[in-house]
Amino acid sequence: MDVSAVSFGGDFFMADDKQIFIALAGNPNSGKTSIFNCLAGANQKVGNFSGVTVEKVEGSFRHRGYTIRLVDLPGTYSLSPYSPEEKVARDFILFQKPDMVVNIVDATNLERNLVLTTQLMDLEVELLIVFNMIDEVEKQKTKIDYRQFEKLFGAHVIPVSAITQFGIRDLLDHIVDIKSGKIETLKYKHQYSDGIEEDIRALSDAIAGRTAWKHLPTRWLAIKLIEHDPDIIAMLKPFPCWASIEESIGSTREKILRFEKKDAEVLLAEERMAFIRGAIKETVVNDEEQRESLTEKIDNILLHRFLGLPVFLLIMYAIFQFTFRLGEYPMLWIDRFFQLITRSLDALIPASMLKSILLDGIIAGVGGVLVFLPNILILFFCISLLEATGYMARVAFVMDKLMHRLGLHGKSFIPMITGFGCTVPALMAARTLRNRGDRITTMMVVPFFSCGAKLPLYTVVISAFFAPSMAGNVLFGIYIFGVLIGLISARLLKSTAFKDESEPFVMELPPYRKPSARSMLSQTWIRAYMYLKKAGTVILLASVIIWFAGTYPKNAELHRHYESLRQQAAADIVSLDRQEKAQQLPYSFAGRIGKFFEPLSRPLGFDWRLNIALINGLAAKEIVVSTMGTIYAIGDVDSDFRTLAESLRSDPHYSKATGLSFMIFVLLYVPCIASVAVFFRESSSKKWTFLFVLYTLSVAWLGAFAVYQISTLLGL
Amino acid sequence: MIMQDPHREPIPLSEAEVGSCYRVLSVNATGVIRQRMLDMGLVPGVCLTVLRFAPLGDPIEIRINRFFMSLRREEARFVQVLPVAICPRPHHGRFRRFFRGGFFHGGR
Ligand SMILES: Nc1nc2c(ncn2[C@@H]2O[C@H](COP(=O)(O)OP(=O)(O)O)[C@@H](O)[C@H]2O)c(=O)[nH]1
Ligand SMILES: [Mg+2]
C-alpha cells in the first residue's frame, strides 16, 4: 500500500510535529516484518539496538498529519526473555517506553500467541492488538467475534492480512485515533484469581514506595517477582531495599506452593492459559478443526522417519545444482558483455598506462566479480526461501540429534546454512544460541560452510579443469568437504574448550507458509545491491591496487631489452608488450610477495601467482578471482581475450590436483576482514578472534596439503 | 470432557507413543527452561498429540492445538503426561467462568 498517498488523504490541517512512536511486538513468525514492510515501505533504516548487536529495523512514515515512527522488535514468546534477542524486545518496551505497543498476533494460532498478549496487558502499556493472517483464517472458515474479544482483552483488535494488505489502513487509522484520543481504550488489566490478585496487590504496595524502581510498571514487576524471573531478580538485587522485598516474595511463593501444590510460575501460566482458552472458546467458531492441516501433511513427508534425511540432502543438492546450472546462462551473457567492452576499448584507446589500468585492472577485476552476480542471487534466493517457508526450523529439527552429538544445538545448523550465503550474517545468526560455548563454537566453524563469494572461484577452477558434466558434482563435493571439516571442528571444540552442558532444545516448528513474492524479491535485491556496491567500491579499489602491485616496480634491464627489441621490430609491438608484461610480473611487488610465500605453498601445489590471489583474498573472497583475472590478463602472452578458465587450463604448471587443492584452501581459510571484525564484535574476545584466524589458516593449509598430495598420487 | 482411562498411569513425555494424545500433568524442569515451556503453552491441563520423532530419533514433535513444538527427550523427561483416549479440540460454546472472581474488575 502506498502510505504516502494515505498521509495526504485526511486531516491535512493537523500540525506536522505530531509524532507517534510505536513498537511492533509479537511471537516469531507472526508477521511483524511483513506488516512493518506494509507500513513503512521503503523508508527503513537498519541499525543495532544500543549496546547490543541485535539488528534493529526502524521506519517512519506519515499518516493523517502524524509522523509515525515504527520499530520492528525481535520475535518473542513471552516477556521472560530466553535469548539475548528476546531480552532486547522486552527491554525496549520497558525502558524506551513507546507510545503504543502494537501486538502482532498470528490469528491462526491464537492460543500460543495470546500468551504474550496477556503479559503485555500486565505491563499496562497502551496496547493495540493486530490479528494478522486473516486471509488464512478466512480460508479455514474460522469466525472470530472481534467485538467480544475486545471486551475480554480491553484493547482494540484489528484484523489484518499483511499478504493481501487487508486492514492496513484500518490499523493506521486506529493508531492515529487512539493517540489523538478520538477513540478510547479500555485498558483492562488481565485479572488472575482472587488469591493471586491479593498477593500481587500486596507486593505492588511494597514495591511502590521504592524510588529506585519507579520507572518500572509496578504490577508487572510484582508478577515477575512472584514468578521468580531470574532476569528481573538480577536487575533488582543491587538495590539496598531488595532485602525486605525478597522476604515477602519468599513467603508469597511458599504460601502458593502450600495451598495450590504447585510453583507460582506454573500457577500463573495455567491461569493465563485458562483465560486464553476461555476467551477463544467464547469468540472463535471453527468448522474445520478436526482436519489434518496442510503443515502436518507436508511434514509427514519432509520429516518422515526414513525420507526425512534423504529429502533434506536432496533439497540441499537441488539448491546447488540450481545455483550452478541456472546461473550458467546469465553468466555467459555477462562474460560476453565484458569481453566485448574489452575488445572495443582495446581498439579505441591508444596504448598507455591509463589503458592498462582500465583494461587489465578495473575491467578484469570488477568484471570478473560481476560475472558471478547470477550465482550469488540464486543462492541467496534459495536461502531466503528456506527461511520464509518455515523449512529452516525443520532443518534444526532434523539435524539436532547429530548436532547434539557434536555437543551443539540443532539451531546451530541455521547459522551454518546461512554461512553458505555469507559468513557475516551467519556469525550474527549465532546470536539465537543462548549458551556462549555453543555460540563461539558455531562461529568458529561457520567459515567452513562455503560462502557465496567463494563460488566464483570454484566456478572458474572447475570449468578450467573438469568436464561440464562433472561440474555440479565437484562443486557439491567441495561443499560437503567443508561441512565435514566444520562438524569435526565443532566436535573438537566442544570436547576441549567448551565442555559445559549444552543448551536445551525447545523450539517451534512454524506452519508452512507461502512466502510473499515481494519480500523474497526485496531480500534478493538487497543482496544484489550489496554485491554491486562492493564491486563498485572495495573491489574496484582493490583491482587498481592489485594492478599497481602487479605492474611495478619494473626490472630495468628487462625493460631496456624489450625497448631495443621494440625499436628493431616496429611491426609486432603489441605482442612484445604482452611478453614484457609477463616477464616483468615476477619482479613486481605482488610477484615478490607471492614468491616469498612459495616455500610454504609448494607442498600445496601453488605457485607465486596463486599466492598473490590468496593474499588478496583476505580482503574479500571475490577478490581471489578478480586478482587472478588481473594477474593472468597482465601475464597472458598469447591473447588478451581469453577467459580466466582458459588461461588456467592452458598453463602447464597447473593440473586437476592444483585446482582441487586451491579450491580447498579457499574453502577453508579466513573468510575476509569483515568476518574477522564481526567475529570480534560478536564474541568480544581477542583470544577467540585470534584463534579464529589461526585455526582457519592452519586447517586450510593441512586440508589443501592432504588433497594435493593424495590427488597427485592418484595421478590427477 | 477429557476422557481418562483409569488403568493408565502418568508417564514422562519422553516415553510417549507417536500418534497418541496426552494431557499434561506437570512440568518439572527447572529455571528458564521451565518458564520457556510454560510460555510456549506447555502448561498443566493442556492436551497434546505426539506427532513424531525426528528421523535420527531424537527431538520429538508434539502438537498443542495448532502449535507445533519440538523438544528433546532430555527435556521431555521432565514433563509428566497422562494418556487420554481422544484429544479434545476446541469447539464453540459459551464461555465458562474459570475464575472465582470473574475475568477482570475493569478500570485502570
Ligand atoms: N498468509 C499469510 N501469510 C503471512 C501474513 N503475514 C506474514 N505472512 C507470512 O508469515 C511468514 C512470517 O512472516 P514474517 O513477517 O517474517 O514474521 P516475523 O518473524 O514476525 O517478522 C512469512 O512467510 C510471511 O510471508 C499474512 O497476513 N497472511
Ligand atoms: Mg521478522
Side-chain angles (χ1 to χ4, degrees):
Chain A
M1 181 168 86
D2 189 358
V3 175
S4 60
V6 174
S7 60
F8 295 108
D11 320 24
F12 57 87
F13 47 84
M14 278 188 174
D16 271 10
D17 57 350
K18 287 181 175 163
Q19 285 226 1
I20 313 177
F21 179 29
I22 285 173
L24 291 185
N27 284 187
N29 302 307
S30 56
K32 290 177 303 303
T33 305
S34 307
I35 288 184
F36 182 90
N37 286 334
C38 284
L39 295 177
N43 306 317
Q44 299 187 12
K45 199 174 76 196
V46 182
N48 273 334
F49 285 98
S50 56
V52 281
T53 47
V54 173
E55 198 171 80
K56 173 187 184 184
V57 189
E58 250 190 291
S60 73
F61 56 93
R62 295 181 56 75
H63 184 65
R64 285 182 18 202
Y66 279 84
T67 301
I68 302 178
R69 199 151 70 83
L70 198 63
V71 176
D72 185 12
L73 295 180
T76 178
Y77 291 106
S78 85
L79 293 176
S80 309
Y82 186 69
S83 66
E85 293 202 318
E86 293 196 354
K87 192 168 148 58
V88 164
R90 186 204 63 187
D91 288 352
F92 190 86
I93 297 173
L94 222 48
F95 300 121
Q96 301 296 313
K97 300 207 187 304
D99 295 326
M100 199 183 298
V101 175
V102 175
N103 178 207
I104 312 291
V105 165
D106 173 356
T108 64
N109 193 350
L110 285 173
E111 195 171 283
R112 195 208 63 229
N113 274 259
L114 291 173
V115 171
L116 179 66
T117 311
T118 54
Q119 298 190 2
L120 288 169
M121 286 164 81
D122 289 341
L123 265 183
E124 297 171 289
V125 288
E126 188 77 67
L127 188 64
L128 183 59
I129 301 174
V130 169
F131 276 20
N132 190 28
M133 319 254 179
I134 242 38
D135 54 317
E136 279 192 23
V137 169
E138 274 165 10
K139 249 185 246 149
Q140 289 166 357
K141 304 211 169 44
T142 303
K143 293 206 171 48
I144 303 175
D145 181 352
Y146 298 106
R147 297 291 85 78
Q148 180 64 11
F149 202 94
E150 285 178 346
K151 277 189 206 142
L152 293 172
F153 277 76
H156 287 275
V157 175
I158 301 161
V160 156
S161 165
I163 296 282
T164 66
Q165 311 271 321
F166 171 85
I168 295 290
R169 168 136 205 178
D170 197 24
L171 168 61
L172 288 169
D173 285 342
H174 267 81
I175 291 173
V176 170
D177 286 346
I178 289 172
K179 172 72 180 182
S180 64
K182 210 161 162 186
I183 52 175
E184 246 182 281
T185 46
L186 304 160
K187 294 209 187 75
Y188 288 138
K189 299 170 204 166
H190 164 236
Q191 294 286 316
Y192 296 88
S193 56
D194 287 352
I196 300 279
E197 279 299 330
E198 248 164 57
D199 295 332
I200 294 174
R201 220 163 10 246
L203 203 55
S204 298
D205 290 343
I207 296 169
R210 324 287 170 170
T211 43
W213 311 332
K214 224 168 49 189
H215 58 291
L216 296 170
T218 315
R219 179 183 159 82
W220 178 78
L221 208 53
I223 293 170
K224 285 291 140 188
L225 287 173
I226 293 175
E227 284 183 337
H228 240 202
D229 185 312
D231 204 69
I232 297 293
I233 290 176
M235 197 152 82
L236 301 188
K237 222 165 198 165
F239 295 100
C241 41
W242 169 251
S244 62
I245 302 272
E246 189 175 24
E247 213 171 292
S248 47
I249 298 168
S251 64
T252 306
R253 284 176 60 85
E254 214 168 277
K255 197 181 78 191
I256 292 172
L257 189 63
R258 203 166 54 240
F259 285 113
E260 305 281 346
K261 303 278 178 291
K262 53 186 82 161
D263 286 333
E265 59 267 34
V266 178
L267 185 69
L268 289 179
E270 271 182 52
E271 291 204 355
R272 268 187 222 117
M273 190 51 87
F275 170 71
I276 291 165
R277 304 183 111 207
I280 291 174
K281 240 179 207 170
E282 191 171 6
T283 55
V284 178
V285 180
N286 191 330
D287 294 337
E288 288 197 303
E289 247 343 320
Q290 293 297 337
R291 275 221 231 133
E292 196 179 39
S293 67
L294 183 65
T295 296
E296 275 170 271
K297 282 182 196 145
I298 296 175
D299 273 344
N300 284 342
I301 299 167
L302 292 188
L303 300 181
H304 186 269
R305 251 199 132 141
F306 306 115
L307 292 180
L309 264 176
V311 166
F312 166 68
L313 289 176
L314 203 71
I315 290 174
M316 294 295 124
Y317 184 74
I319 288 176
F320 292 114
Q321 288 290 345
F322 192 58
T323 304
F324 205 71
R325 291 273 158 85
L326 197 74
E328 232 166 4
Y329 305 99
M331 281 172 71
L332 207 67
W333 306 330
I334 298 176
D335 203 34
R336 292 250 172 82
F337 173 74
F338 277 104
Q339 280 186 35
L340 193 74
I341 290 189
T342 314
R343 264 173 231 250
S344 35
L345 284 181
D346 192 38
L348 256 147
I349 314 173
S352 65
M353 194 181 94
L354 221 66
K355 176 182 176 179
S356 181
I357 293 184
L358 195 66
L359 292 186
D360 299 337
I362 295 173
I363 292 183
V366 175
V369 168
L370 284 186
V371 166
F372 301 99
L373 191 61
N375 273 167
I376 307 263
L377 287 189
I378 297 171
L379 189 68
F380 270 114
F381 183 82
C382 293
I383 287 175
S384 1
L385 199 64
L386 291 186
E387 187 89 66
T389 50
Y391 187 70
M392 212 53 130
R394 270 77 184 177
V395 171
F397 179 71
V398 170
M399 297 308 287
D400 182 66
K401 180 79 180 274
L402 186 68
M403 290 285 118
H404 196 44
R405 280 263 170 79
L406 304 170
L408 288 175
H409 188 279
K411 262 195 282 181
S412 294
F413 208 73
I414 293 163
M416 291 175 185
I417 290 208
T418 314
F420 286 135
C422 174
T423 307
V424 169
L427 290 173
M428 299 200 289
R431 286 172 192 164
T432 53
L433 295 161
R434 294 185 57 240
N435 176 308
R436 181 176 155 83
D438 283 7
R439 208 157 57 228
I440 300 267
T441 305
T442 306
M443 284 163 63
M444 289 290 284
V445 306
V446 153
F448 302 135
F449 294 76
S450 183
C451 78
K454 297 173 183 172
L455 195 59
L457 185 270
Y458 304 148
T459 317
V460 165
V461 174
I462 289 173
S463 65
F465 297 110
F466 295 90
S469 61
M470 284 289 289
N473 295 335
V474 174
L475 187 69
F476 192 63
I478 295 279
Y479 275 83
I480 291 291
F481 188 84
V483 171
L484 288 179
I485 295 284
L487 298 186
I488 294 168
S489 304
R491 172 79 232 186
L492 212 70
L493 279 167
K494 277 299 274 192
S495 57
T496 52
F498 301 108
K499 274 192 275 193
D500 49 359
E501 58 177 304
S502 59
E503 187 186 332
F505 185 94
V506 176
M507 65 184 287
E508 177 185 6
L509 301 183
Y512 288 110
R513 289 227 159 78
K514 200 173 73 194
S516 82
R518 189 162 51 156
S519 77
M520 292 298 302
L521 288 178
S522 86
Q523 275 179 30
T524 311
W525 163 242
I526 287 171
R527 295 293 166 201
Y529 176 74
M530 277 162 62
Y531 193 77
L532 288 172
K533 204 171 123 186
K534 212 166 167 187
T537 53
V538 180
I539 294 171
L540 185 91
L541 191 69
S543 298
V544 174
I545 294 172
I546 290 159
W547 172 85
F548 181 82
T551 311
Y552 298 98
K554 289 188 169 165
N555 181 297
E557 204 174 308
L558 205 61
H559 188 62
R560 271 198 299 279
H561 172 67
Y562 273 96
E563 272 307 288
S564 64
L565 279 183
R566 263 191 287 262
Q567 267 155 22
Q568 286 163 23
D572 201 11
I573 284 185
V574 179
S575 139
L576 276 175
D577 280 351
R578 276 199 209 108
Q579 272 178 37
E580 189 195 346
K581 275 189 207 161
Q583 302 251 319
Q584 290 282 12
L585 190 55
Y587 298 100
S588 68
F589 290 119
R592 282 159 209 240
I593 296 170
K595 284 209 186 274
F596 176 78
F597 283 105
E598 254 190 354
L600 207 61
S601 71
R602 260 290 148 235
L604 315 181
F606 310 156
D607 65 358
W608 53 278
R609 288 174 298 177
L610 292 180
N611 288 351
I612 300 172
L614 288 177
I615 292 164
N616 290 332
L618 289 173
K621 283 295 156 293
E622 293 93 337
I623 297 179
V624 176
V625 162
S626 64
T627 305
M628 289 168 75
T630 312
I631 292 176
Y632 292 96
I634 294 173
D636 202 329
V637 187
D638 306 329
S639 156
D640 257 354
F641 308 130
R642 268 205 302 216
T643 64
L644 182 52
E646 283 164 356
S647 312
L648 288 175
R649 187 167 35 234
S650 58
D651 198 307
H653 295 101
Y654 301 147
S655 63
K656 269 194 178 117
T658 324
L660 278 177
S661 149
F662 192 64
M663 285 192 289
I664 293 296
F665 195 90
V666 171
L667 165 73
L668 300 175
Y669 86 122
V670 196
C672 57
I673 305 267
S675 72
V676 177
V678 170
F679 190 100
F680 179 63
R681 204 181 62 191
E682 296 287 315
S683 66
S684 47
S685 156
K686 282 199 188 91
K687 183 186 115 188
W688 280 107
T689 311
F690 175 72
L691 284 174
F692 175 71
V693 175
L694 188 71
Y695 185 69
T696 44
L697 280 175
S698 339
V699 170
W701 195 90
L702 290 173
F705 178 75
V707 166
Y708 184 67
Q709 297 301 331
I710 292 169
S711 41
T712 316
L713 278 178
L714 293 176
L716 287 175
Chain B
M1 271 322 292
I2 297 163
M3 313 243 301
Q4 274 171 27
D5 188 338
H7 308 296
R8 294 234 174 132
E9 291 288 307
I11 54 165
L13 180 59
S14 51
E15 281 157 34
E17 271 169 47
V18 172
S20 304
C21 301
Y22 300 88
R23 191 157 62 88
V24 177
L25 292 181
S26 62
V27 180
N28 302 320
T30 49
V32 248
I33 185 66
R34 164 151 82 173
Q35 190 63 51
R36 172 52 22 139
M37 288 178 176
L38 294 172
D39 288 336
M40 285 177 107
L42 200 62
V43 174
V46 303
C47 283
L48 57 86
T49 312
V50 177
L51 292 183
R52 61 176 58 82
F53 287 95
L56 294 174
D58 196 11
I60 170 176
E61 187 189 358
I62 59 174
R63 198 197 60 212
I64 305 171
N65 198 13
R66 288 208 168 162
F67 172 53
F68 303 98
M69 177 177 174
S70 69
L71 63 174
R72 283 192 199 128
R73 283 172 201 259
E74 280 168 42
E75 285 99 39
R77 268 192 308 144
F78 298 110
V79 180
Q80 284 288 323
V81 294
L82 193 71
V84 289
I86 49 157
C87 229
R89 298 247 189 176
H91 45 84
H92 46 102
R94 289 315 291 171
F95 199 19
R96 279 188 298 126
R97 294 239 146 185
F98 274 78
F99 301 101
R100 284 154 267 177
F103 285 107
F104 38 75
H105 305 302
R108 299 193 72 148

